[in-house]
Structure formats: C-alpha cells, structure tokens
C-alpha cells in the first residue's frame, strides 16, 4: 500500500534544492554587486560605498531574514578569500553591515508585505546599519587603522555617521527600484516563490512609488558624490 504522504515527503527535497539554488544565485549577484561597488568613489580615502546590500535585501524580502544572513555570511567569506585586503576584520565589518541593513528590513517586510512595509523595513534597516556601524567603527577602526581612539571618536559624527546613512539610503533606494524586476525575472525561472509582495494597487500608485524611489536614489547619489568630494 502506498503511503499517502509519500508525495509530500518527496516534494520537500525539491523545494530545498530550489531554495538553495536561489540563494546561490543571489550570493553570486551579491558578489558581483560587491565588485561593481569598487567603481564607486571612496569617502575619506578608506570608506568604500557598497551596493551589495541591495541584493541581500531583495533576497531577504523573498526568503526571510535568515536567508539574508546566510547570503551575507557567504559573500563576506568569499570577499575575504578573493579580493579583500582587510582580512578577518574586513570580513566581520562587511558581515555586520550587510546583516544590520538587510535582516531588520526583511523581518519587517515579512510582517507587512506591501510597499509601505518595504519602505518601513528599509528605513529601519538604514537606522540599524548606522547605529551598529558607529559602534563597531569606534571599536575596530583604531585597531585596523592604527589610530588613536579619541581621533576615531571625533570622526563618528563627521565621517562615519553621514557615510553609513548615505550608504544605507542608497541601498534602500536601489532595493525599492529593483525589487519588482528582479523578483519578476526570478519567478519566470521558477527560482522565486509565488507570493504577494509589494502588490500593485493601481497604476497611479505604482507611478508615484517609482517617482519617490527615483527621487530617493537621485538624492543619495548626490550625497555620495558630496561625501566623496566630487561635487
């Protein structure tokens, strides 16, 4: 006699493989975003703007905050062993920054799968990123840069605070703009779950949301250039 649950049991590995495949693809895209980030201007000569948080946040929106943390860990380790010159310290800082931004954003979005939930989650992610990195920059930068801690403390409000706010805001804007096309592409390939996410509520609202996201992106792009001394 066949087991009535055999089909359900057999389906579980396929779902697991699909999820792992999706996370692997997101990790590869995050790694590529990290490489592209090297083209962005540096702030104060050593702080690198990064856009990889965008891909990690999209993965978190799709699969949850734990998946965002997994992708963050994988990419931080890959970066350390391939292109990074900062070793374990850089790996830790990259991991903390990615998780601080993407995990709270994904957790809030999981509770409220709407455009408002996305904006709220990403806003909280920017705040958490900024607070966490201010603390860790104060603790780690004196060791990494061989600087006096009092000097680093003086840089917190003038360098690290605006840098992390702008970096988080840039990734927030990119996530809002890219989420829908990226998820649509993943769903066409069967690598993303069919769920309601940022569900449209009319073309007019969508157009307004897109304009808001583009304005946000333009604002933080200009701030990046200002911080980097380009304008």
């Amino acid at each position: 006699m066949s087991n009535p649950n055999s089909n359900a049991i057999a389906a579980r590995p396929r779902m697991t493989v699909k999820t792992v495949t999706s996370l692997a693809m997101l990790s590869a895209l995050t790694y590529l975003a990290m490489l592209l980030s090297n083209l962005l201007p540096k702030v104060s000569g050593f702080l690198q703007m990064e856009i990889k948080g965008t891909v990690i946040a999209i993965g978190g929106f799709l699969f949850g905050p734990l998946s965002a943390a997994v992708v963050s860990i994988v990419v931080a380790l890959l970066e350390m062993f391939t292109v990074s010159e900062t070793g374990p310290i850089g790996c830790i800082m990259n991991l903390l920054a990615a998780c601080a931004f993407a995990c709270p954003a994904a957790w809030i979005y999981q509770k409220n799968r709407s455009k408002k939930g996305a904006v709220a989650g990403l806003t909280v992610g920017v705040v958490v990123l900024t607070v966490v990195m201010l603390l860790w920059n104060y603790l780690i930068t004196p060791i990494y840069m061989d600087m006096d801690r009092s000097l680093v403390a003086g840089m917190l409000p003038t360098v690290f605070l605006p840098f992390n706010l702008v970096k988080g805001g840039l990734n927030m804007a990119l996530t809002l703009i890219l989420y829908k096309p990226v998820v649509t592409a993943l769903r066409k390939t069967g690598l993303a779950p069919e769920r309601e996410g940022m569900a449209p509520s009319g073309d007019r609202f969508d157009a307004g949301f897109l304009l808001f996201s583009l304005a946000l992106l333009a604002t933080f792009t200009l701030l990046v250039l200002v911080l980097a001394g380009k304008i």
Side-chain angles (χ1 to χ4, degrees):
M1 181 180 293
S2 62
N3 187 337
N5 294 323
S6 60
N7 291 335
I9 295 173
R12 288 174 189 169
R14 288 198 296 272
M15 291 301 295
T16 301
V17 169
K18 181 184 292 187
T19 301
V20 170
T21 302
S22 301
L23 293 178
M25 177 179 292
L26 287 169
S27 296
L29 290 173
T30 304
Y31 186 83
L32 177 61
M34 178 272 297
L35 294 177
L36 291 176
S37 295
N38 292 330
L39 302 176
L40 297 175
K42 289 186 177 182
V43 175
S44 297
F46 68 98
L47 294 173
Q48 179 66 61
M49 282 289 171
E50 292 181 327
I51 57 174
K52 64 183 179 184
T54 299
V55 186
I56 298 173
I58 291 174
F61 279 11
L62 276 171
F63 300 105
L66 180 59
S67 296
V70 170
V71 173
S72 299
I73 294 170
V74 169
V75 175
L77 290 173
L78 284 174
E79 183 176 355
M80 181 180 69
F81 287 115
T82 55
V83 298
S84 176
E85 298 178 354
T86 57
I89 292 179
C91 178
I92 292 171
M93 297 295 279
N94 287 329
L95 175 59
L96 287 170
C99 288
F101 173 70
C103 292
W107 184 81
I108 292 174
Y109 182 67
Q110 292 285 311
K111 303 296 182 182
N112 182 11
R113 287 183 167 275
S114 65
K115 291 182 174 72
K116 290 183 179 179
V119 172
L122 290 167
T123 301
V124 171
V126 172
V127 173
V128 174
L129 164 69
T130 302
V131 173
V132 168
M133 296 314 293
L134 281 177
L135 173 62
W136 281 90
N137 277 308
Y138 178 73
L139 295 174
I140 297 297
T141 302
I143 301 172
Y144 170 64
M145 298 294 294
D146 193 23
M147 297 170 62
D148 186 81
R149 194 173 298 277
S150 61
L151 180 59
V152 174
M155 295 172 64
L156 292 180
T158 59
V159 177
F160 293 112
L161 176 62
F163 170 79
N164 285 294
L165 281 174
V166 172
K167 183 173 75 170
L170 180 64
N171 280 279
M172 173 182 176
L174 287 171
T175 302
L176 293 175
I177 292 171
L178 296 177
Y179 177 80
K180 188 173 181 179
V182 169
V183 172
T184 299
L186 289 175
R187 283 179 177 155
K188 286 182 179 179
T189 61
L191 293 176
E194 293 292 338
R195 298 174 182 168
E196 286 294 317
M198 292 197 200
S201 56
D203 292 338
R204 182 177 179 183
F205 183 79
D206 285 347
F209 185 78
L210 178 60
L211 288 174
F212 164 76
S213 302
L214 289 172
L216 200 65
L217 176 62
T219 299
F220 282 104
T221 300
L222 286 174
L223 286 173
V224 168
L225 295 175
V226 170
L227 287 179
K230 300 298 182 181
I231 58 176

